[in-house]
Amino acid sequence: MITDHFNRPLRDLRISVTDRCNFRCPYCMPEEIFGERFQFLPKAQILSFEEIIRTARVMVGLGVKKLRITGGEPLMRHSIEDLIAELVKIEGVEDIAMTTNGYLLPPKVDALKAAGLHRLTISLDSLDDAVFQRMNGRRASVEKVLEGVTAAEQAGFSPLKINCVVQRGINDHTIVDLARYFKERGHIMRFIEYMDVGTMNGWRLDDVVPAKEIVARIHAAMPLEPLDRNYRGEVALRYRYQDGDGEIGLIASVTQPFCGDCTRLRLSPEGELFTCLFATQGTDLRAVLRSGATDDELVAFLTNLWSRRVDRYSEERTENTTPRDHKVEMYHIGG
Ligand code: SAM
Ligand code: SF4
Ligand code: SF4
């Protein structure tokens, strides 16, 4: 096990397998910037499955227990199930999950299950079709994502987690409907405070609906009570419905930051490591991998990186924080 400057262990690795996406959510990949002519990474610059597997294996040796496959849209990476099938074989991996927008799930989900994927999170910001289309750059209807949800249920992935980014004045009037729908369907809603990730989405603090307000609105319709955290490093604040029928999670990274327990390392598609979601700079692992480094050299490299880690951006963020330039973009590291 390795720990950072604030004694936080390295426990979770989030692997962004592609910078491409079939949606254009304005809070993540605004259409104006990620248009027809945007140059995504060429294949040679993206880590191969072998490189990702090797990296994960070494990190599991250093204490990583949980892997999350994300993107961009992870289902856009060709044969992603083959990667998962290899990652689940790594001894010491306790949990392997994927976050997806759900669009490509119906034809893929059985292969993901067969590969051994443990859990799925599907993002859906609203059940109101006009609201949802606005929030995905008019790439998908609600119905299309719900087809993905149904396919995931049929493949045996229940309960699912359903991610919803809440933006004031955009979808906050639809969160109670979303909570009710997925309560009835037996899945766990996770409401995420809109975050100032990257520099392209024009984030303003006023656009954030605080988790407390989200809870209050749902509580007024369907009474809730707080739950304890499952484990150190769990980022979601959990509440259960008082009628005993299900729970929700809140990712309150703006109003109730959880840096003290942040045990996550993020790997970008081209092999850069980020020790914080709000980092301005990554560390080039690909060069090390491609220079013929031995496993021992990789261990030394990663131990050095993690032990110097001092990130606590969300705890330091205030209303007066001047936006950092060149922050890494969400589509690049996958949340
Ligand atoms: N494409 C997949 C998806 O949307 O589920 C995986 C990658 S996406 C970057 C991972 C999660 O980050 C999604 O649930 C998305 O809603 C969330 N997200 C993206 N930008 C965000 C932002 N600025 N603030 C909060 N959450 C954000
Ligand atoms: Fe694509 Fe996910 Fe970003 Fe939306 S949030 S643009 S689906 S990567
Ligand atoms: Fe972790 Fe950085 Fe988020 Fe704090 S701001 S919880 S250090 S990713």
Side-chain angles (χ1 to χ4, degrees):
M1 187 179 92
I2 52 174
T3 50
D4 71 5
H5 183 77
F6 297 123
N7 211 24
R8 297 170 294 190
L10 171 61
R11 283 269 179 262
D12 318 67
L13 175 63
R14 300 175 76 96
I15 305 169
S16 175
V17 291
T18 177
D19 59 340
R20 289 163 203 260
C21 187
N22 46 351
F23 285 14
R24 286 293 177 273
C25 310
Y27 53 73
C28 178
M29 295 179 84
E31 183 98 62
E32 313 81 78
I33 296 163
F34 299 91
E36 297 267 296
R37 277 183 291 163
F38 186 81
Q39 294 285 316
F40 289 97
L41 291 165
K43 195 169 173 214
Q45 287 187 27
I46 290 188
L47 291 190
S48 66
F49 284 175
E50 289 71 27
E51 288 169 325
I52 294 175
I53 294 158
R54 181 173 180 218
T55 303
R57 186 170 45 71
V58 170
M59 291 204 195
V60 170
L62 292 173
V64 165
K65 306 250 179 272
K66 298 175 65 169
L67 303 177
R68 180 167 292 273
I69 311 301
T70 176
E73 173 47 43
L75 296 180
M76 291 194 65
R77 178 91 186 237
H78 194 59
S79 306
I80 188 67
E81 61 277 18
D82 296 347
L83 174 67
I84 290 160
E86 292 303 316
L87 292 175
V88 294
K89 287 187 206 154
I90 299 174
E91 210 172 311
V93 172
E94 292 175 2
D95 183 38
I96 167 159
M98 175 185 281
T99 308
T100 168
N101 64 31
Y103 191 95
L104 294 169
L105 270 179
K108 272 280 180 190
V109 75
D110 288 332
L112 297 176
K113 190 71 186 175
L117 184 71
H118 296 159
R119 296 185 303 117
L120 263 177
T121 300
I122 301 176
S123 303
L124 179 59
D125 293 329
S126 182
L127 287 174
D128 179 314
D129 206 51
V131 172
F132 180 54
Q133 298 237 12
R134 179 174 174 195
M135 291 181 81
N136 66 45
R138 292 174 312 286
R139 293 304 199 277
S141 61
V142 171
E143 196 187 335
K144 189 76 196 163
V145 177
L146 292 181
E147 283 169 18
V149 170
T150 303
E153 287 169 339
Q154 285 167 353
F157 280 107
S158 297
L160 300 162
K161 284 189 178 142
I162 308 290
N163 273 3
C164 165
V165 178
V166 184
Q167 287 184 293
R168 192 176 296 284
I170 307 273
N171 66 335
D172 58 330
H173 59 294
T174 67
I175 57 179
V176 175
D177 287 347
L178 199 58
R180 183 178 293 112
Y181 178 84
F182 283 108
K183 175 179 192 287
E184 284 166 8
R185 228 169 143 161
H187 302 308
I188 302 170
M189 271 311 307
R190 308 227 308 177
F191 294 100
I192 308 175
E193 287 180 351
Y194 175 37
M195 290 184 264
D196 50 333
V197 186
T199 50
M200 301 192 203
N201 59 15
W203 181 91
R204 292 175 319 138
L205 192 56
D206 288 350
D207 301 330
V208 178
V209 182
K212 274 192 180 144
E213 188 179 328
I214 297 172
V215 170
R217 290 203 207 175
I218 296 170
H219 177 74
M222 295 172 286
L224 289 164
E225 61 195 14
L227 278 172
D228 288 338
R229 285 197 312 186
N230 279 326
Y231 53 90
R232 179 181 176 194
E234 182 174 55
V235 298
L237 303 168
R238 296 163 60 230
Y239 286 79
R240 78 168 157 229
Y241 291 106
Q242 287 181 18
D243 67 5
D245 199 12
E247 65 175 81
I248 63 167
L250 286 302
I251 315 290
S253 60
V254 179
T255 62
Q256 298 173 61
F258 37 78
C259 300
D261 276 339
C262 180
T263 55
R264 300 172 161 198
L265 185 58
R266 295 168 163 90
L267 179 64
S268 78
E270 76 273 52
E272 277 198 292
L273 288 166
F274 292 89
T275 55
C276 179
L277 194 49
F278 302 94
T280 49
Q281 233 189 331
T283 302
D284 187 0
L285 177 71
R286 188 183 64 197
V288 182
L289 286 168
R290 295 188 181 173
S291 72
T294 62
D295 279 3
D296 284 347
E297 284 163 347
L298 278 183
V299 166
F301 179 83
L302 293 167
T303 306
N304 179 38
L305 173 71
W306 191 260
S307 58
R308 284 187 290 111
R309 176 181 188 246
V310 290
D311 306 278
R312 46 191 294 273
Y313 177 88
S314 290
E315 286 182 354
E316 291 165 339
R317 177 204 293 114
T318 68
E319 223 159 305
N320 305 320
T321 300
T322 334
R324 286 181 177 177
D325 289 338
H326 313 302
K327 268 186 305 189
V328 61
E329 296 297 326
M330 187 65 127
Y331 80 96
H332 217 74
I333 48 171

